[in-house]
Amino acid sequence: MTTMSRYLLLGLLVIATVGRADQPQYAAVASAHPLATEAGLEILRQGGNAFDAAVAISAALAVVEPSGSGLGGGGFWLLHRQSDNKEVMIDGREKAPGYANARMYLDEKDEVKPRASLDGPLAGGIPGVPAAIVYIAMNYGRLPLATSLAPAIRYARDGFAITEGLQKAIKGRSDVMSQYPPSAAIFLPDGKVPEAGQVLVQTDLANTLQSIADKGLAGFYYGDMAAKLIQGMQQFGGIWSLQDLEQYSVLERLPQKFTYRDISVVSASPPSSGGIVMAETLKILEHFDLRAMDRITRVHYVVEALRRAYRDRSVYLGDPDFIKVPVDRLLDPDYIEAMAMTISADKATPSDELGENPGPKQSGESTTHFSILDTEGNRVAATLSVNLTMGSGFVIPGTGVLVNNEMDDFSIKSGIPNSYGLVGFEANAIAPGKRPLSSMSPTFVESSDRIGLLGTPGGSRIISMVLLGILDFADGQLPESWVDLPRYHHQYKPDVVLYEPAAFNQQEQQQLKAMGYELRESNRLYGDMHAVMWDKRTGYVYAESDKRGEGAARILKPESKP
Ligand code: DON
């Protein structure tokens, strides 16, 4: 054998064993529930692409993880279609109903009515998940909608075992759900919080999913189903109208794209604040050499950059269909440089020195994220939500649809913090048909040799969690590290660094305090990140689920296709 032919043979062997570098060797799915991940794999095995799998997973999560997302909620689906490199964000965010108004959660004295934007039918925006799954199936999928919805319908009809996480979520919201018989009938059988392991059957929800499978958009937003939804809402004091449902539509938006050093980032654009806040933060950080710093100095710069970007979030960001979001100004290199220069090398900048603003509050979490890569290189990163755990706690009678409480993501009153402690002003005030500002940040990161997909729930902390993941990707780490990282967070107001116990040891805490930081240890771990990575050099694929949650990450080998 000549040397030449020996090299040729070796080359062929390498290709045969590690796959072609321009294509992922395997498909990969990571989501917050093993049955949702399984639904995605089932659809991929049937010849579906990543977009069909996204439809299947979104619908399955509505059934098996109702605490986090569902047909009564909304979300953002970030898509990359490999054949033409199209990158788009499907905006299925809820919209304020037509009868909403800026003062709807205030009393005569202009005080915020406690919990009015959080519990019951009045807390819900017009849902976007049903419209989004129909849209994605029709415009990007390959399989019929009914095929992709089949696993979810099966889970709803036959039932599934309640996880510990769902049991806790139901328990946490049982006071509200017990006030609404249609909610209690499903989630509090015999008036009690169910045990983990108990089987939950959701027949009404199966029928609603079937109606969408049969009739598409019309199976939820028009005709009999719409009448049922509106009647049920109004019966319990809600203000949705038939017109609100008819007028709901998803939008294709350009994602927020930017670079951080030699990495390109594609993330959620307004009405999510995620992409812009991350862009601002990372552009400020480009002015410093993070790699040359010890860990705590690095934390200091990350926190200071976050503080500045979250300040701008509170003032400037909102639904771009209603307000002018000054993206160019916020990302202008001179503005970024000016902000970078205000960071002291060894001292925290008190948030109040950046401009006026009030304070705190933190709360529980739900919402869900999944990431999918298929063997063609198509990818989906999607973050969906009903806002707080179990949304508004209200199920619309006869439909199984648990209504979100996403109205609380609006600025209910100028300068008054919402349930994530986030403050907002005019830009995010309530108006009919407007989408509330979100932090959900499904994200793609790409370097010359690797592509990552990531995202997580966590309210206002979503942005800093994804940002830490991006920095870890930039350091060459794998998804296991991105999802496991001990997390810390700063959001301008309250002016504290929130951190998981493992993030800082005693000595590091002392160092941060000496720089002027107020530290607040999180009383629990937070986030539930689900990430996928494709190594373009080898074609190898990684999938990883956050150990803080109950999710499952799987690789699907092509030979296991039927
Ligand atoms: O859109 C948002 O930013 C929030 N509704 C997300 C809520 C969330 O992540 C809940 N988990 N903490």
Side-chain angles (χ1 to χ4, degrees):
M1 204 186 264
T2 63
T3 317
M4 191 60 166
S5 49
R6 229 177 278 136
Y7 276 125
L8 203 64
L9 188 65
L10 189 67
L12 284 173
L13 267 175
V14 167
I15 289 170
T17 44
V18 298
R20 278 180 37 215
D22 61 347
Q23 256 184 311
Q25 278 190 63
Y26 311 122
V29 177
S31 89
H33 195 290
L35 288 175
T37 296
E38 194 44 53
L41 296 177
E42 182 178 325
I43 292 307
L44 289 170
R45 281 192 206 102
Q46 288 181 45
N49 58 17
F51 312 120
D52 296 304
V55 172
I57 293 178
S58 305
L61 286 167
V63 178
V64 299
E65 199 205 24
S67 49
S69 67
L71 297 186
F76 301 116
W77 290 253
L78 191 63
L79 314 183
H80 171 100
R81 185 168 61 194
Q82 187 72 349
S83 57
D84 58 358
N85 279 322
K86 177 173 181 179
E87 259 154 6
V88 67
M89 179 177 92
I90 307 301
D91 173 357
R93 180 72 163 163
E94 298 89 338
K95 289 170 71 166
Y99 290 120
N101 69 72
R103 299 196 63 263
M104 67 187 281
Y105 300 114
L106 305 181
D107 65 15
E108 319 73 58
K109 291 192 194 126
D110 252 12
E111 301 292 337
V112 176
K113 292 188 223 161
R115 302 209 61 85
S117 61
L118 292 171
D119 300 335
L122 274 182
I126 307 302
V129 166
I133 56 184
V134 172
Y135 186 87
I136 293 169
M138 308 231 314
N139 294 281
Y140 295 93
R142 186 176 289 155
L143 300 179
L145 176 64
T147 306
S148 300
L149 295 186
I153 295 173
R154 214 171 56 228
Y155 298 155
R157 218 176 275 298
D158 302 347
F160 67 97
I162 292 176
T163 62
E164 273 174 31
L166 180 54
Q167 195 266 351
K168 256 207 250 151
I170 294 173
K171 191 166 171 205
R173 293 292 272 158
S174 58
D175 53 338
V176 178
M177 292 198 291
S178 60
Q179 291 166 33
Y180 297 108
S183 313
I186 299 168
F187 295 111
L188 301 168
D190 306 319
K192 286 201 302 265
V193 176
E195 302 287 332
Q198 201 168 318
V199 172
L200 177 63
V201 172
Q202 299 172 84
T203 310
D204 288 340
L205 184 58
N207 293 338
T208 301
L209 282 162
Q210 190 62 54
S211 164
I212 297 170
D214 295 341
K215 301 185 200 145
L217 210 55
F220 190 89
Y221 294 88
Y222 301 89
D224 294 349
M225 186 57 73
K228 207 189 234 184
L229 292 166
I230 297 308
Q231 217 179 6
M233 282 300 272
Q234 290 179 353
Q235 186 189 338
F236 286 88
I239 56 169
W240 294 3
S241 69
L242 285 173
Q243 214 186 13
D244 287 330
L245 289 180
E246 277 170 25
Q247 284 175 354
Y248 187 88
S249 71
V250 293
L251 295 168
E252 286 212 354
R253 296 196 192 267
L254 287 178
Q256 195 67 43
K257 293 190 183 188
F258 56 94
T259 56
Y260 169 65
R261 301 193 178 280
D262 55 352
I263 287 170
S264 41
V265 182
V266 181
S267 189
S269 51
S272 171
S273 56
I276 292 179
V277 172
M278 284 194 281
E280 243 187 280
T281 309
L282 289 167
K283 287 291 176 195
I284 295 174
L285 291 175
E286 271 184 351
H287 286 265
F288 307 97
D289 186 1
L290 294 192
R291 284 179 199 191
M293 292 174 186
D294 65 72
R295 204 174 99 79
I296 288 302
T297 309
R298 181 172 169 152
V299 169
H300 164 62
Y301 279 98
V302 171
V303 164
E304 290 304 320
L306 282 169
R307 182 200 304 279
R308 285 154 178 81
Y310 269 92
R311 190 264 316 260
D312 286 346
R313 179 197 197 276
S314 75
V315 179
Y316 298 111
L317 303 192
D319 183 347
D321 295 343
F322 282 72
I323 58 147
K324 169 110 190 61
V325 180
V327 185
D328 294 344
R329 189 149 61 85
L330 296 176
L331 300 182
D332 180 87
D334 291 340
Y335 176 64
I336 296 283
E337 187 180 350
M339 273 201 294
M341 283 171 63
T342 64
I343 300 180
S344 138
D346 52 6
K347 283 269 167 300
T349 312
S351 288
D352 283 337
E353 286 181 12
L354 295 178
E356 97 303 338
N357 246 321
K361 237 159 75 181
Q362 280 291 337
S363 113
E365 70 186 4
S366 67
T367 302
T368 199
H369 176 87
F370 61 82
S371 299
I372 311 172
L373 170 73
D374 68 21
T375 45
E376 291 160 45
N378 296 314
R379 24 199 196 270
V380 180
T383 312
L384 322 184
S385 184
V386 286
N387 197 23
L388 298 188
T389 305
M390 308 297 297
S392 69
F394 174 68
V395 172
I396 305 176
T399 66
V401 173
L402 179 61
V403 174
N404 68 83
N405 58 2
E406 222 77 66
M407 292 295 284
D408 191 63
D409 277 347
F410 278 117
S411 170
I412 301 303
K413 183 178 173 182
S414 248
I416 298 296
N418 75 356
S419 52
Y420 301 106
L422 289 167
V423 288
F425 300 91
E426 270 319 294
N428 189 30
I430 303 174
K434 189 172 173 183
R435 286 160 152 95
L437 183 62
S438 172
S439 303
M440 291 187 287
S441 310
T443 296
F444 302 145
V445 272
E446 183 160 1
S447 66
S448 56
D449 49 20
R450 292 167 302 139
I451 292 177
L453 295 70
L454 70 163
T456 176
S460 55
R461 294 165 306 195
I462 291 173
I463 304 173
S464 58
M465 285 188 257
V466 174
L467 183 110
L468 293 178
I470 295 174
L471 290 174
D472 209 35
F473 173 92
D475 284 344
Q477 299 294 339
L478 295 175
E480 185 174 7
S481 166
W482 319 342
V483 307
D484 279 353
L485 280 178
R487 294 170 175 145
Y488 60 89
H489 171 74
H490 194 288
Q491 60 181 47
Y492 169 57
K493 290 294 174 120
D495 191 351
V496 296
V497 177
L498 186 74
Y499 68 99
E500 290 183 325
F504 309 127
N505 61 27
Q506 286 299 332
Q507 192 201 340
E508 290 171 332
Q509 289 176 32
Q510 288 314 323
Q511 278 175 272
L512 286 166
K513 282 184 190 154
M515 290 169 127
Y517 288 106
E518 183 181 334
L519 303 183
R520 184 183 297 164
E521 184 177 311
S522 173
N523 51 10
R524 61 203 168 84
L525 306 178
Y526 60 84
D528 190 13
M529 184 174 280
H530 300 279
V532 164
M533 196 189 95
W534 166 20
D535 187 329
K536 290 187 285 180
R537 291 163 301 193
T538 59
Y540 197 74
V541 163
Y542 302 78
E544 216 54 65
S545 281
D546 205 315
K547 297 183 185 68
R548 297 166 182 82
E550 299 177 327
R554 298 272 179 274
I555 305 282
L556 181 67
K557 314 237 162 159
E559 50 275 16
S560 51
K561 271 186 195 166

